[in-house]
Amino acid sequence: MHIPDGFLSTNTWVATWVFSAGGLGFCIKKTKEILKDKMVPLMGVMSAFIFAAQMLNFPVIGGTSGHLLGGVLAAALLGPWAGAIVIACVLAVQCLIFQDGGLTALGANIFNMSIIGTIGGYFVYRLIAKAVGGDKGVMAGVAIAAWLSVVIASSACAIELALSGTSPLQVALPAMAGVHALIGIGEAIISCLVIGFVIKARPDLVYNYEEE
Amino acid sequence: MHHFYIDEYSELKSPLHRFDPRVKIITFFSFILFVIFTSPHSYFTFLLYGCVLCALIGLSRIPWRFVLVHSLVIIPFVLMVAVFIPFLKKGQIAGAYSFGSINLTITYDGIAVFWNILVKSYLSIVCVILMMASTKFTHFLRALENMRIPNIFTMILSFMYRYVFVIADELMEMRQAKEARSIGGTKWFHTKVLANMLGVLFIRAYEKGESVYLAMCARGFQGAIKTIDRLKISGFDIMFSCIIFAVLISIKIFAG
């Protein structure tokens, strides 16, 4: 899902860069209010954690394997703003070190996975967690939000490709959303199990958990 | 534990490695812009850009194999998104094939779009590989900081660079321990164990982050990292950058 350079038209990549930069600026402001100068070391180590977690492959249907994206997981554990920063840092490192996603397309990739996927996913998760209530609500919320965030982020990617004239929407959208609807199942299961474990082991580390 | 390397070839000696990271970032980013603003039909221009990149790889002494292997990362995305394009664009038909009941038509417009994104994404990826492989990651971050990228990002990235190996190491150890002990069992069982591993890893990482912070506080950390290592732009940097820009601009002017 990491868009390389050359796939997006200038309008698209410049616009998504502007949106992402603005969104991340807001996230930094919010996170600084909560964490103060603890923010840098904690966010750095958390980015390293998400990065390491993404290296772990798990089997998806039909012999293929997928890896965790971790957007909703990061948001559920650290809160939406800190989660978005962590995912953005991971995407930046993937772009720079592993060339997974292009430099000009980095704005679009951050927009899809960090702004829409992570922050959007977090609010879906809260909504479901509130509606269902209890630990079950948290786990169900994380599972559904994780699946949705993967599908929505890949749909946003398809829409950006269509806006750039790279591939027609009626093909790109079902293809991207369809493939990621499968990948999202793994994401949902793993995210849900991890959050279930952390709730049992260290509930104080789950963002906003005590309020329930 | 066996690891990937972040800046494996950054210690080599070459003009590209001596290049000041700030000037290098600007030069290579401009190179990418030159590439993506080239009209898809100027095949000769792309060839010349490719030659310039090959010359730079040769100059940098970074192994060709390394560049080649790393540049293959774009393949999955190209396969998933781009390979259908020649069949889907409407326009003048270049060829039609039928496999049983499926009729495929390839159009010239489709091929043009496919070629356009393929060549541009490939040249851009080689640019990024060259830029990153010839720079130490810490120098790269320092350069970003000097270029007014909010230092909160560069600081987070520098912490990430320091701790990613530590945490990846812990994960690999846990996985090795699991693989050594758990034989058989259903897929669901293994998935659950995997998830618990990630949960443990999260808690350990969080606690590590907190203790790192306390250690930093004890040593006088007040929200900003100060270093005495300064970057300096020399005449060599300006000259080297000017040469690359001159080549790019003349390619743009003469080859279109």
Side-chain angles (χ1 to χ4, degrees):
Chain A
M1 210 165 32
H2 304 252
I3 309 171
D5 285 318
F7 277 66
L8 296 177
S9 65
T10 315
N11 289 341
T12 318
W13 69 256
V14 171
T16 45
W17 253 119
V18 171
F19 273 123
S20 301
L24 289 178
F26 179 76
C27 289
I28 287 185
K29 217 180 119 218
K30 281 292 203 187
T31 315
K32 249 187 180 163
E33 281 168 16
I34 303 167
L35 289 176
K36 310 224 161 56
D37 52 356
K38 197 175 170 183
M39 174 179 173
V40 168
L42 206 55
M43 293 292 98
V45 176
M46 281 299 110
S47 308
F49 161 70
I50 293 289
F51 192 88
Q54 290 191 347
M55 299 195 312
L56 210 60
N57 278 311
F58 54 80
V60 188
I61 304 149
T64 55
S65 68
H67 71 76
L68 201 68
L69 232 109
V72 168
L73 185 63
L77 292 171
L78 304 167
W81 320 119
I85 296 172
V86 164
I87 298 294
C89 287
V90 170
L91 288 171
V93 166
Q94 280 170 339
C95 159
L96 292 167
I97 309 292
F98 299 101
Q99 288 77 43
D100 217 352
L103 213 52
T104 57
L106 182 61
N109 288 328
I110 290 179
F111 183 72
N112 296 344
M113 285 178 256
S114 163
I115 307 286
I116 301 182
T118 306
I119 299 178
Y122 176 78
F123 288 107
V124 173
Y125 147 67
R126 290 308 293 180
L127 216 66
I128 298 170
K130 277 229 172 74
V132 180
D135 287 358
K136 275 218 175 81
V138 172
M139 284 173 76
V142 166
I144 296 169
W147 182 82
L148 209 63
S149 78
V150 173
V151 176
I152 298 283
S154 63
S155 307
C157 167
I159 292 169
E160 280 148 19
L161 290 173
L163 283 176
S164 308
T166 306
S167 65
L169 192 65
Q170 65 267 32
V171 183
L173 189 61
M176 288 293 273
V179 170
H180 285 92
L182 285 179
I183 296 177
I185 296 173
E187 173 91 14
I189 294 172
I190 297 277
S191 303
C192 166
L193 290 174
V194 172
I195 205 89
F197 179 86
V198 179
I199 285 176
K200 273 188 219 139
R202 285 290 300 272
D204 55 313
L205 296 188
V206 180
Y207 186 77
N208 254 351
Y209 179 71
E210 295 304 334
E211 286 175 17
E212 318 245 326
Chain B
M1 290 272 144
H2 179 71
H3 270 305
F4 54 92
Y5 291 97
I6 280 186
D7 36 16
E8 201 177 349
Y9 294 107
S10 63
E11 300 283 354
L12 296 176
K13 296 256 174 295
S14 86
L16 212 61
H17 287 77
R18 262 178 60 199
F19 208 9
D20 178 86
R22 285 165 296 181
V23 188
K24 186 159 25 182
I25 292 170
I26 294 169
T27 311
F28 277 98
F29 191 69
S30 313
F31 200 136
I32 294 176
L33 293 183
F34 267 97
V35 168
I36 62 178
F37 284 122
T38 306
S39 129
H41 299 291
S42 29
Y43 306 104
F44 190 55
T45 315
F46 288 123
L47 184 71
L48 290 177
Y49 286 146
C51 293
V52 175
L53 282 178
C54 288
L56 287 174
I57 297 171
L59 203 65
S60 71
R61 298 196 193 149
I62 294 165
W64 292 85
R65 214 186 116 75
F66 174 84
V67 178
L68 194 71
V69 168
H70 275 238
S71 65
L72 296 179
V73 193
I74 53 165
I75 299 292
F77 198 85
V78 169
L79 276 184
M80 207 171 121
V81 175
V83 90
F84 302 107
I85 295 170
F87 303 102
L88 297 169
K89 281 268 164 184
K90 293 188 174 57
Q92 203 189 350
I93 288 167
Y97 309 92
S98 81
F99 301 99
S101 59
I102 305 164
N103 288 314
L104 293 175
T105 48
I106 295 181
T107 60
Y108 284 114
D109 284 359
I111 295 173
V113 172
F114 180 63
W115 155 256
N116 183 31
I117 56 178
L118 192 65
V119 71
K120 284 179 184 176
S121 57
Y122 195 79
L123 291 175
S124 308
I125 208 172
V126 175
C127 276
V128 180
I129 293 173
L130 257 181
M131 175 174 87
M132 294 311 296
S134 63
T135 316
K136 268 192 216 157
F137 199 64
T138 45
H139 285 179
F140 180 79
L141 292 178
R142 183 83 37 76
L144 287 185
E145 211 169 293
N146 284 345
M147 289 164 80
R148 306 257 175 272
I149 301 282
N151 71 346
I152 208 98
F153 275 111
T154 52
M155 288 199 293
I156 291 175
L157 288 176
S158 78
F159 268 93
M160 191 179 165
Y161 173 67
R162 287 189 180 88
Y163 285 96
V164 75
F165 298 105
V166 179
I167 292 179
D169 222 41
E170 269 180 32
L171 182 65
M172 286 181 196
E173 272 168 14
M174 277 196 270
R175 189 168 57 182
Q176 201 172 48
K178 171 193 171 282
E179 275 165 12
R181 281 166 214 163
S182 71
I183 300 159
T186 56
K187 215 177 222 177
W188 174 245
F189 167 77
H190 286 286
T191 311
K192 233 177 145 173
V193 173
L194 219 66
N196 289 350
M197 263 162 59
L198 285 179
V200 171
L201 192 68
F202 165 74
I203 293 167
R204 282 191 196 166
Y206 198 99
E207 285 169 350
K208 190 162 282 152
E210 280 187 321
S211 58
V212 166
Y213 170 68
L214 291 177
M216 284 164 69
C217 282
R219 289 163 179 79
F221 176 67
Q222 284 172 328
I225 297 166
K226 298 184 185 76
T227 49
I228 48 168
D229 194 5
R230 296 263 172 275
L231 296 172
K232 236 165 79 190
I233 297 179
S234 65
F236 162 80
D237 296 315
I238 296 178
M239 204 178 69
F240 197 65
S241 171
C242 283
I243 293 172
I244 297 178
F245 271 107
V247 171
L248 290 178
I249 291 169
S250 47
I251 290 177
K252 192 92 190 160
I253 291 170
F254 296 113

